[in-house]
């Protein structure tokens, strides 16, 4: 079964008198280990789609299946549990906690999930080392470059070994060279761990290196090339 299956998903926003039909029956199947680039103009609904896929929002109609399990009618606590276990997020800005070091930022989600501190620290150090941040473990976000901050955010997103990684323009704030560097780290991690990933991006070099490219057209998810 697909690790993520969005079925007949609708999302409408009311804007004053008008209704904005962002998604109107969207279908998307993401298979384990598969990488998908979501390429669409600003305002097309990329963030909306990722928030629905990540169980951060409810669809107005349809359902989102995670590992074959329908989620629309689950209690919020169960949706939150599934999100914590199965799904990691990376945003355009890093959203790291400024008072915490790189290591602590990656430790924290593991503690929330219930892992012991020693084990969480070990995994955090391994992940950050793998992403080329061995010498940055005890730096706070403000002491890191933009590329380093994003790599910490990637480590945090996969700290609990999710099966799905959702990234919303993760290199959007970075210059071309740093974006390439961060994407290389991202891609290496994704391939090594067998993660399924959707990455919303305007960067066509990045999109070209994913397994599939999709866009949002007339409220539907459409395959490109
Ligand atoms: P993208 O990520 O592709 O730029 P978004 O999913 O952020 O697109 O937004 C799609 C459209 O829906 C935009 O026009 C945005 O203004 C609108 N929108 C997003 N969230 C809301 C909301 N909570 N309420 C009303 N309109 C929204
Ligand atoms: P990059 O070229 O990777 O984007 P920068 O030129 O911004 O990085 O920074 C180079 C190095 O200096 C980075 O490894 C970063 O950790 C360190 N650095 C950047 N800003 C600060 C700061 N405010 N305090 C301490 N170290 C910093």
């Amino acid at each position: 079964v697909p690790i993520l299956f969005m079925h007949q998903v609708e999302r409408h926003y009311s804007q004053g008198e008008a209704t904005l039909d962002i998604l109107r029956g969207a279908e998307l199947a993401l298979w384990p280990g598969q990488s998908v680039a979501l390429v669409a103009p600003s305002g097309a609904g990329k963030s909306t789609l990722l928030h629905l896929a990540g169980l951060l929002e409810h669809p107005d109609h349809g359902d989102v299946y995670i590992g074959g399990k329908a989620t629309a009618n689950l209690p919020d606590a169960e949706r939150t549990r599934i999100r914590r276990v199965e799904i990691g997020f990376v945003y355009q800005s890093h959203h790291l906690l400024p008072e915490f070091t790189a290591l602590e930022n990656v430790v924290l989600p593991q503690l929330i999930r219930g892992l012991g501190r020693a084990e969480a620290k070990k995994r955090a150090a391994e992940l950050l080392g793998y992403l080329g941040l061995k010498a940055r473990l005890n730096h706070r976000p403000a002491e890191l470059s933009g590329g380093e901050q994003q790599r910490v955010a990637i480590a945090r997103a996969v700290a609990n070994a999710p099966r799905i990684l959702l990234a919303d323009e993760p290199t959007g704030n970075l210059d071309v060279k740093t974006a390439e560097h961060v994407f290389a780290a991202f891609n290496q991690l994704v391939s090594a761990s067998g993660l399924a990933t959707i990455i919303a991006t305007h960067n066509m070099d990045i999109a070209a290196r994913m397994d599939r490219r999709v866009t949002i057209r007339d409220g539907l998810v459409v395959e490109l090339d």
Side-chain angles (χ1 to χ4, degrees):
V1 295
I3 183 63
L4 169 75
F5 178 40
M6 305 181 76
H7 182 54
Q8 287 295 312
V9 167
E10 295 185 19
R11 190 74 174 102
H12 314 281
Y13 294 121
S14 47
Q15 290 204 332
E17 306 283 274
T19 302
L20 217 50
D21 301 316
I22 299 301
L23 297 175
R24 29 187 188 185
E27 299 282 326
L28 176 64
L30 178 68
W31 294 87
Q34 199 173 46
S35 63
V36 175
L38 175 58
V39 185
S42 198
K46 299 183 294 298
S47 298
T48 299
L49 186 125
L50 291 178
H51 288 163
L52 289 164
L55 312 186
L56 290 167
E57 280 187 42
H58 277 275
D60 295 315
H61 182 81
D63 211 333
V64 175
Y65 296 78
I66 305 290
K69 183 175 175 147
T71 61
N73 296 316
L74 294 175
D76 280 347
E78 178 60 8
R79 287 166 58 89
T80 300
R81 191 197 65 79
I82 293 173
R83 183 187 317 121
R84 284 199 185 132
V85 173
E86 305 282 14
I87 302 164
F89 285 95
V90 182
Y91 299 95
Q92 180 164 0
S93 49
H94 55 80
H95 291 304
L96 297 170
L97 297 170
E99 300 305 321
F100 290 82
T101 65
L103 188 78
E104 290 162 350
N105 267 283
V106 183
V107 164
L108 198 60
Q110 301 180 78
L111 298 184
I112 291 170
R113 170 135 185 232
L115 216 69
R117 180 170 287 277
E119 216 178 322
K121 272 182 132 166
K122 182 163 173 281
R123 169 146 176 96
E126 274 170 11
L127 271 173
L128 288 166
Y130 188 77
L131 292 170
L133 296 167
K134 204 182 177 67
R136 295 283 179 268
L137 302 187
N138 299 314
H139 288 56
R140 292 205 170 81
E143 299 164 337
L144 300 172
S145 72
E148 289 171 335
Q149 290 166 347
Q150 277 308 65
R151 280 182 279 151
V152 176
I154 292 166
R156 178 185 54 184
V158 300
N160 285 330
R163 289 193 289 172
I164 304 167
L165 181 57
L166 303 173
D168 197 349
E169 306 198 30
T171 63
N173 284 343
L174 305 174
D175 62 62
V176 175
K177 195 173 120 251
T178 309
E180 171 58 34
H181 204 67
V182 167
F183 176 71
F186 178 92
N187 213 17
Q188 191 183 354
L189 192 72
V190 163
S191 344
S193 55
L195 267 167
T197 184
I198 304 177
I199 182 169
T201 185
H202 291 291
N203 184 318
M204 295 316 284
D205 291 330
I206 287 177
R209 283 182 278 166
M210 309 302 274
D211 295 328
R212 288 161 59 195
R213 282 145 293 283
V214 303
T215 191
I216 299 170
R217 193 176 294 150
D218 299 328
L220 301 177
V221 174
V222 177
E223 301 281 333
L224 297 171
D225 42 77

